[in-house]
Every structure is written in structure tokens, then in C-alpha cells.
Amino acid sequence: MPGAAAVSTTVRPTPRATTAAHGEARSGSPPPRGRPAPLHALRYAAPALLAYLAVRGTGLLVLTVWAHRQRHGVWPILATQWDADWYLGIAEHGYAHALGTAYNANNLAFFPLHPVLVKGVAAVTPGTLASTGLALAVIASLVAAWGVFAVGDRLHGRRVGVLLTVLWAALPVGLVQWMGYTESLFTALAAWSLWAVLTGRLLAAAWLAVLAGLTRPTGVAVAAAVTVAALLALRRRFRPRTLAAAAIAPLGWCGYVGWVGLRVGRWDGYFAVQRLWRNELDGGRETLRLMRQLLVYDRMPELFLVVVTLTLIASVVLFGLSVWDRQPVPLLVFTAVLLAIVLGSGGVYFPRARFLLPAFPLLLPLALHLARASRRHRMLVLAAAVTGSAYCGAYMALVYPGAP
């Protein structure tokens, strides 16, 4: 049964073979004598990180050339516009003190970890808030890419880990990974939290889940994955540390939601803020209505919205394949909760693909398929993905009139 396999994975580290299916050293193998373990791990992950930089560098190059031809600056697009502007405002001026009645105007909808980091780092470095925010996003994207690789390698070996990282980098809205947004930071925390779960480090996973819960509303998905893993481990063997992990994981998300309630003077304060952003769970009715409108009734639908729609549909299909592949339960819980929030929301439609950027485990079935495919087929698929991501990212930033 898949559940039983997941329980053993989440309770303690499973013994790792010293070689992968393709004869490559696994990340679980001990580092060579005389070489620090972190350095060994970094060198082991280097192909994935270099491939990640190549994919995102290609996207940045296309954006730069396109923006130059339109006489747009790349810096404002990446560092100061849309959600980045909201986070910079929080870092500089703090949060609103009241709920208010204006729509799309209350900054309490944005979680605090990223603006707190931006303010703290900017205070001790010469950069501006905007440059600090962008630098933190780029650094976090590399940490996230490393975590994505680590999860893929842990489950299926080094080749799958590298391919998973490349696929994550080449998502249609991958440009957001190098913008002053929170997706890269959140993915880094989620990936390393899931890796900690898979290697039996439940308490470390729980603290990473706390930070994820302070980064984005969907941090509850990381907390759910860690808590479920801890509860499954408790069924096998009771340990105080495991029980503590189950209790600690949701504290970040719950803490911020509770703080917003105290700040605005009502128990449902955070959810009232979300209603002012027209963002409520409706079971997916609005999502289905907009999908039908775009794909059936619109004669000339906006290209970016079509990409968003196809991304949502593909995510559901990939989740089904993930269940079929019997992914570990914590990964399935993480992606299931994330999908439920994104698809079940009645809020704005255009950023839905961005909201799913952290759901990298959904790409594991594709990475496994490419690992088994011929080299020619693999190169063609990856080249198409990288080209499409570069084009879509530039189109999203320069042509589509709304926020990414």
C-alpha cells in the first residue's frame, strides 16, 4: 500500500544505496574524507544549479532584448512593480492598522517574512529596499532549486533531480522566480521542509513549515504535509519530538492569521481582509466558469490567460499521475492542499499559475518520463520548455496588461 511506504519514509531515513540507477553517486552517500559535507553536497548539486541558472538566464536575456526594443526598463519590472511594490511598502511603512472598506487596498493580505527580511538586510547593506528584495528573491531561487533537486534525488536519483530542477525553472511563469515576489522564498522553504520530512528530520521540517507559513497564505499546505507526516510516524512509534513537530508546523500560518485578527479587532480579521481582495473559497465554481469562458466562448482569448488555464488543467492531470506513481504521502498532501486553495478560490484568475509555482512535486512524473526517454526526445522536450518559458515570461511582463 502507498500509505505504508510513506509512513516508513517519514518516520526515519531509509537506507540509501551508494549508486543510483544510472551509476551515479546518490546524495545520501557519505562525503569523501577530508571534504566538508556541505561542500560535497553543493558540488553534487552543481549540475542542477548550473542548469537552473542557464534556464533562468535565457529567460532574462529574452526579456532584456524584448524590453529594450520596446524601450522599457527591466529593473522596474523585476524589482518594483505589482506585488513587489506591496512588499516594499510594507518593508518601509509597515502594515495597516484597520480593516477599512476599500477593495484591493489592505496590505494585511500579504504575509510578513519577505518584507521583514528585506527591511532587515537593507538596514545593514548599501542597497535600496528594491535591490535588496530582488537580490533576496534570486538567492532564494537558487536555494529553492537546490531543494527541488534534493527532493528529486532523494526519491529517484541524481538524473531525475536535475531534470526536476530544469522543469521547475522552465515553468511558463518561471520569470517570477527572479522578481521581488515571495514564490522563490516560499518554494525554498517548502522544498527543504519536504526533504527534511523524507529524511526523517521532522522537527527541522516543522520549523521550516513555520517560516513557510509566515511567507504566503499557502504556507498552510507545508504545515499540513509536515503534520500528516508526523501523525503517521506517531502511529508507528511515539516520540515527543515527533509530537512536537506535529504541533509546531502550523504555528507560522496560524500566528499571522491570529495577529491580523487582533490588529483589526475581529476574530476573522484575516479572512475579512481577503474578502476585500475578493478572494474567498467557493469550491472552484468561479475557476470553472472562467475556464469555460476562455476556452469555449471567447473568440480571441488573451494568450496569457490561456497559458494560465492550461497550467491549471495540466496541474490536475499531473496530480493524478503523482497519485498513480505513489508519491510519498507528505508530497501528495502538500500538492493537494495547494491545488485545493488555488483552484477552489473565487478570487482573481490571472495569477493562478504563479500561485502553483511552489508545487514542484507535480513535475516528478514528467521528470521520471524524461529520465527514461531517449536523449533526443529529452533534449527536444527541454528545449521547447525553456523556449516557451522565456517567451511566456517576457510576454507576461511586457504585453499582458495585468500583474503576473
Side-chain angles (χ1 to χ4, degrees):
M1 295 177 63
V7 171
S8 63
T9 302
T10 58
V11 172
R12 63 180 186 275
T14 54
R16 292 292 303 273
T18 57
T19 58
H22 302 284
E24 299 163 313
R26 300 293 295 269
S27 62
S29 60
R33 291 184 179 180
R35 182 184 298 169
L39 179 59
H40 169 67
L42 179 59
R43 292 186 64 177
Y44 183 77
L49 298 179
L50 291 173
Y52 175 80
L53 288 172
V55 174
R56 292 290 5 115
T58 301
L60 182 61
L61 177 62
V62 172
L63 173 66
T64 302
V65 173
W66 196 334
H68 177 72
R69 291 182 175 179
Q70 293 191 0
R71 297 186 179 180
H72 286 296
V74 173
W75 172 258
I77 293 172
L78 299 179
T80 65
Q81 294 184 2
W82 304 298
D83 282 14
D85 186 48
W86 283 99
Y87 288 114
L88 294 174
I90 294 169
E92 187 171 4
H93 304 295
Y95 280 105
H97 290 274
L99 180 62
T101 57
Y103 284 97
N104 304 330
N106 195 311
N107 64 7
L108 288 166
F110 297 87
F111 277 54
L113 184 59
H114 178 70
V116 167
L117 288 175
V118 170
K119 184 174 183 178
V121 174
V124 296
T125 58
T128 64
L129 287 175
S131 63
T132 301
L134 182 57
L136 287 175
V138 173
I139 293 170
S141 75
L142 290 169
V143 178
W146 192 354
V148 170
F149 165 78
V151 171
D153 171 62
R154 178 72 192 179
L155 293 174
H156 301 290
R158 193 182 193 188
R159 175 177 292 183
V160 172
V162 173
L163 289 170
L164 182 64
T165 307
V166 172
L167 290 172
W168 182 69
L171 286 171
V173 292
L175 176 67
V176 172
Q177 296 165 11
W178 282 8
M179 295 176 67
Y181 281 32
T182 58
E183 273 71 19
S184 289
L185 176 61
F186 181 74
T187 305
L189 295 168
W192 284 108
S193 180
L194 292 173
W195 179 85
V197 167
L198 294 175
T199 55
R201 299 168 172 87
L202 287 175
L203 202 54
W207 286 114
L208 288 168
V210 169
L211 295 176
L214 292 170
T215 305
R216 290 194 59 78
T218 45
V220 69
V222 186
V226 176
T227 299
V228 167
L231 294 176
L232 290 174
L234 285 171
R235 290 179 58 189
R236 187 176 184 275
R237 177 186 176 189
F238 178 82
R239 296 180 64 187
R241 288 170 61 90
T242 305
L243 182 61
I248 289 170
L251 292 182
W253 188 88
C254 293
Y256 180 69
V257 170
W259 178 81
V260 172
L262 291 174
R263 192 168 181 87
V264 302
R266 49 187 292 179
W267 70 270
D268 65 338
Y270 174 75
F271 303 100
V273 170
Q274 288 293 345
R275 286 193 290 272
L276 287 176
W277 283 85
R278 299 179 176 88
N279 193 19
E280 295 182 84
L281 293 176
D282 64 357
R285 291 191 300 272
E286 181 67 6
T287 302
L288 291 174
R289 185 190 72 80
L290 290 170
M291 283 184 174
R292 185 175 61 178
Q293 178 69 31
L294 281 166
L295 299 180
V296 178
Y297 296 110
D298 283 1
R299 294 185 177 181
M300 295 186 65
E302 164 58 49
L303 175 62
F304 178 67
L305 296 181
V306 172
V307 170
V308 171
T309 302
L310 295 178
T311 300
L312 298 181
I313 295 171
S315 297
V316 174
V317 174
L318 289 172
F319 180 76
L321 292 175
S322 300
V323 174
W324 181 266
D325 285 346
R326 299 186 177 185
Q327 279 186 17
V329 170
L331 270 64
L332 293 176
V333 171
F334 170 66
T335 50
V337 174
L338 201 57
L339 278 171
I341 294 172
V342 174
L343 297 176
S345 171
V348 289
Y349 188 74
F350 53 83
R352 305 289 183 93
R354 168 167 65 89
F355 293 164
L356 286 175
L357 261 177
F360 69 92
L362 293 176
L363 299 171
L364 271 169
L366 291 178
L368 281 166
H369 169 74
L370 291 177
R372 298 163 183 156
S374 67
R375 180 181 178 85
R376 180 175 180 273
H377 175 74
R378 185 162 57 246
M379 291 299 101
L380 286 174
V381 171
L382 293 180
V386 173
T387 303
S389 175
Y391 177 83
C392 183
Y395 182 94
M396 171 183 71
L398 297 171
V399 178
Y400 180 66

